[in-house]
Amino acid sequence: MVKCDLAHPRIDREPAAQAEFIGHLEKQFATITQLLYTTSVPNSELEEKVLPYIADDVIFKDPWQEGGDKKMYSIGMKGFHNMFCFNFEMFQLGVKLNHDGVTGRCIVDGVMNLEQFSWIYTFPLRSIFVYDFRLLDDQSADKPQFEIFRHEEMWSYAEMIEGIPAVGWVYRNMFRPAFGHLFVGASYLSCVLHDRIAEFAKKKE
């Protein structure tokens, strides 16, 4: 597929048209994200509604892995849906085009809810997704054409610990406050030491 022409009027000539264009991009990315992270969606629907937006040279990255191409991405995407039971609650989503007018980035903030053992506990995992994409030719007024060439998941190990029943309570109500006091105490000692050294150096002058 061919990259989009920089002179496309909907991209870099009219601010109102560009805002509308970005609004349509945001709607498409919202749909793609819900499809990717709601594991009840069947593989056939992923192939039809997500894979066409994935570039052949796509790279996937999360805290545990990095790499791949479209074939590996497709296998991992389907495997994720086959092995886990997640739904995704979206908090916010934003799209910004880069200065080149051809590439852009979408950032999504939300919570992945693991419902594998929902009869006991639903595990919430605060997550941020970043999609780097490039625009393609044949742009339409209401459905921009693009391909995602980098997809990154960011989530915190601390969030994972905090979400574990009982362990999370200890981590949140005991470990973190205690470590906070320890850090403040160490900071106070460093300030005292710094002032003493500065005072000693001043007396030697």
Side-chain angles (χ1 to χ4, degrees), residues 21 78 125:
F21 185 80
K78 296 173 185 176
L125 182 60

Side-chain angles (χ1 to χ4, degrees), residues 114-124 162-165:
L114 176 61
E115 298 182 322
Q116 207 84 5
F117 307 102
S118 60
W119 47 281
I120 299 176
Y121 181 69
T122 296
F123 188 99
E162 193 169 352
I164 300 173

Side-chain angles (χ1 to χ4, degrees), residues 11-52:
I11 295 174
D12 67 348
R13 290 185 181 178
E14 300 175 12
Q18 183 175 3
E20 182 183 0
F21 185 80
I22 289 176
H24 289 308
L25 280 170
E26 290 176 342
K27 289 179 181 178
Q28 287 180 265
F29 274 106
T31 299
I32 289 171
T33 299
Q34 290 294 351
L35 290 169
L36 282 172
Y37 293 98
T38 303
T39 54
S40 58
V41 174
N43 288 340
S44 58
E45 191 169 351
L46 294 174
E47 289 182 345
E48 177 186 353
K49 297 181 179 179
V50 175
L51 275 187

Side-chain angles (χ1 to χ4, degrees), residues 167-180:
V167 174
W169 187 93
V170 173
Y171 175 75
R172 181 174 56 255
N173 295 288
M174 298 178 67
F175 176 81
R176 295 182 79 169
F179 187 85

Side-chain angles (χ1 to χ4, degrees), residues 78-98:
K78 296 173 185 176
F80 174 72
H81 280 238
N82 293 339
M83 293 185 291
F84 297 101
C85 184
F86 274 101
N87 70 58
F88 183 68
E89 181 182 0
M90 189 180 303
F91 293 161
Q92 54 188 333
L93 180 152
V95 170
K96 185 177 186 299
L97 293 178
N98 296 329

Side-chain angles (χ1 to χ4, degrees), residues 59-67 72 76 151 153 155 157:
I59 293 175
F60 176 80
K61 180 179 179 180
D62 70 14
W64 287 347
Q65 59 183 318
E66 180 176 2
M72 293 180 64
H151 175 189
E153 292 180 6
W155 28 267
Y157 287 112

